[in-house]
Amino acid sequence: MTDQALQNAFLFRQPILDRKQELAGYHLSFHQGQQVADDDPADCGAGAPLCAAYSELGMHSALGKSCAFISVDAKFLQQQVIELLPPTNVVLELLLDGVPDPATLTRCRVLIERGYSLALSNYQGIDNRSRPLLPIVDFVKIDLAHTELSRLQDLAGSLRHLPLKLLAQGVDSQEQMERCRSAGFALFQGRYFAQAEIVSGRRLSASHSALIRLCNLVGRDVETTVIEDAFKHEPALTLNLLRIVNSVGRLGNRVGQPVTSLRHAIALLGRRQLQRWLSLLLLAPGHDSGDPTRSPLLQVAALRGRMMELLTEKGQPGERKMADLAFLTGILSMMPTALGLPIEEILEQIAVEREVGSALRRHDGLLGTILALLECFDNDDAACCDRLLSMLPGGFDRQTLNTGLSVALRWLNGSSE
């Protein structure tokens, strides 16, 4: 794929969550404006442009331990180039409309022998299309947009004796997710986790209130001793702060010396990184077990913040303060979902710069336009992305977004950029 081709398409992704509601991977799709590039009859088959983009954008290292589900049809399945994809990080999702022919089945078995995992898409029950594939695939996808919820139990039950995982596609609400989980699904594709109910006047928890107080102190020009004293009243946060500084946290700061005091930890992390860390904690769920950094909402917020930072640096090179404000804007944009409060009520409690407030309230200014762009990007809205890209200075195009996504994912997964 040429640079020109990358400039002419969007690389969209949908999160895939496991039963613990932690991020397990992404379904990647390649969109050419309003059309999906995988549907271009002039190419080598569905999946060819996406595989090329996966390679050129360095998505293997960008995704870290997360899997990428990539749709391929029978035509592209026969191409040797497909074996350039890393088998341990890619699931090949079979787009087969009819009964698979012997060549397709043979090729599937060869790919399995070479370590690839296969998924059968658009499952509607055991029939001539699915019967020869069910014994060899690792995943079966059921699209809720084309399946009545009342059928889920029957569809899942027909596969219960097979060693495969069920993946629900198009999960748009918590209710749908719970129905699918009850039916035995292991994976859930969609952005339902970001569709929280917003209730005006809802009371914040004590932990959220403490975090907001600390965010306000760090964001203002107060003495370090004042911030230190505030932390001393929050022993759990103090312990986490010391741990993250000692273990070289994930927010990009590299500290190689032992921490000797709370004030030392604050100085080592720095005000900028400390504010980022506290903002991210506002989005972290109260897991009793597991890794809270795998929270999909936390990951989406961190990814949006980093992408906003990268795009602002491109639009206003050398403006470090504006880039910092961009990161904060991205994080704060997810807080209504995390806290269940309107953005207006959140901003009444958190002191932010004028540019940040305008961006969050009305999508005003450079930060507001970039925020609106990334919201459209998250929703796979190509037309909206094109319109907002044209409003930005500095030669923004589709490739800018694709590259920004790859760089931000690499940062999120702790890889070097």
Side-chain angles (χ1 to χ4, degrees), residues 21 193-194 283-285 294-302 334 337-339:
Q21 298 304 280
F193 60 87
L283 299 167
R294 298 294 292 174
S295 157
L297 193 63
L298 185 62
Q299 293 226 334
V300 167
M334 299 302 298
T337 299
L339 303 181

Side-chain angles (χ1 to χ4, degrees), residues 29-81:
S29 56
F30 209 53
H31 292 244
Q32 190 105 30
Q34 294 285 0
Q35 302 295 320
V36 181
D38 288 347
D39 293 335
D40 185 356
D43 66 23
C44 300
L50 181 54
C51 289
Y54 184 98
S55 175
E56 291 195 24
L57 291 172
M59 294 302 291
H60 181 201
S61 61
L63 289 172
K65 296 179 181 180
S66 299
C67 280
F69 281 68
I70 295 178
S71 299
V72 298
D73 63 4
K75 183 178 181 181
F76 184 60
L77 196 67
Q78 300 295 339
Q79 302 293 319
Q80 290 300 312
V81 69

Side-chain angles (χ1 to χ4, degrees), residues 210-231 271 274-275 278 349-351:
L211 282 169
I212 287 175
R213 284 196 300 272
L214 285 165
C215 280
N216 285 333
L217 287 175
V218 174
R220 294 167 179 163
D221 189 20
V222 301
E223 295 290 336
T224 300
T225 53
V226 177
I227 299 173
E228 182 184 23
D229 182 68
F231 266 101
R271 298 273 182 115
L274 183 56
Q275 188 175 36
L278 290 169
Q349 302 176 63
I350 301 179

Side-chain angles (χ1 to χ4, degrees), residues 311-352:
L311 295 177
T312 300
E313 287 174 345
K314 178 176 175 61
Q316 294 189 348
E319 295 291 336
R320 184 65 255 172
K321 180 181 179 182
M322 185 61 75
D324 287 342
L325 293 179
F327 184 94
L328 189 59
T329 302
I331 297 297
L332 292 175
S333 71
M334 299 302 298
M335 283 191 184
T337 299
L339 303 181
L341 285 171
I343 190 63
E344 286 288 349
E345 293 186 24
I346 294 172
L347 293 179
E348 287 174 2
Q349 302 176 63
I350 301 179
V352 297

Side-chain angles (χ1 to χ4, degrees), residues 3 37 48 58 83 129 176 224 233 286 291-292 294 314 347 366 416:
D3 288 342
E83 296 182 39
R129 170 181 173 269
Q176 286 183 328
T224 300
H233 287 84
D291 181 2
R294 298 294 292 174
K314 178 176 175 61
L347 293 179
L366 176 65
S416 62

Side-chain angles (χ1 to χ4, degrees), residues 57-288:
L57 291 172
M59 294 302 291
H60 181 201
S61 61
L63 289 172
K65 296 179 181 180
S66 299
C67 280
F69 281 68
I70 295 178
S71 299
V72 298
D73 63 4
K75 183 178 181 181
F76 184 60
L77 196 67
Q78 300 295 339
Q79 302 293 319
Q80 290 300 312
V81 69
I82 204 171
E83 296 182 39
L84 296 176
L85 295 170
T88 55
N89 291 87
V90 166
V91 176
L92 302 175
E93 183 179 323
L94 304 175
L95 297 178
L96 305 176
D97 293 329
V99 178
D101 58 28
T104 297
L105 294 173
T106 298
R107 179 59 170 160
C108 285
R109 294 188 180 97
V110 168
L111 289 170
I112 291 170
E113 290 174 359
R114 294 176 183 173
Y116 288 92
S117 296
L118 305 180
L120 173 61
S121 65
N122 300 320
Y123 178 73
Q124 288 293 321
I126 298 177
D127 54 21
N128 290 337
R129 170 181 173 269
S130 64
R131 189 173 290 107
L133 292 166
L134 289 175
I136 62 175
V137 298
D138 298 282
F139 304 88
V140 167
K141 294 187 71 173
I142 295 178
D143 189 349
L144 299 191
H146 302 110
T147 306
E148 294 183 7
L149 290 179
S150 59
R151 294 191 62 209
L152 290 180
Q153 289 287 354
D154 289 339
L155 289 174
S158 66
L159 304 174
R160 198 159 288 142
H161 63 288
L162 294 174
L164 49 77
K165 291 182 178 180
L166 281 176
L167 192 160
Q169 177 182 349
V171 184
D172 295 327
S173 69
Q174 193 72 17
E175 179 187 1
Q176 286 183 328
M177 187 279 295
E178 293 296 346
R179 290 282 295 272
C180 292
R181 181 152 61 179
S182 297
F185 284 74
L187 298 168
F188 314 90
Q189 178 183 325
R191 289 179 56 82
Y192 62 92
F193 60 87
Q195 310 299 323
E197 180 185 5
I198 307 299
V199 179
S200 181
R202 174 178 285 163
R203 292 177 61 86
L204 292 174
S205 67
S207 59
H208 282 138
S209 297
L211 282 169
I212 287 175
R213 284 196 300 272
L214 285 165
C215 280
N216 285 333
L217 287 175
V218 174
R220 294 167 179 163
D221 189 20
V222 301
E223 295 290 336
T224 300
T225 53
V226 177
I227 299 173
E228 182 184 23
D229 182 68
F231 266 101
K232 287 179 178 177
H233 287 84
E234 303 295 336
L237 282 176
T238 298
L239 180 62
N240 284 334
L241 174 62
L242 294 174
R243 184 182 294 125
I244 195 173
V245 175
N246 269 318
S247 64
V248 189
R250 296 186 57 166
L251 299 183
N253 198 47
R254 295 295 182 262
V255 182
Q257 53 183 300
V259 177
T260 58
S261 68
L262 181 53
R263 182 180 297 189
H264 187 204
I266 294 170
L268 284 175
L269 195 60
R271 298 273 182 115
R272 172 189 171 212
Q273 297 289 8
L274 183 56
Q275 188 175 36
R276 290 185 174 195
W277 177 65
L278 290 169
S279 299
L280 285 170
L281 282 181
L282 276 167
L283 299 167
H287 285 309
D288 295 327

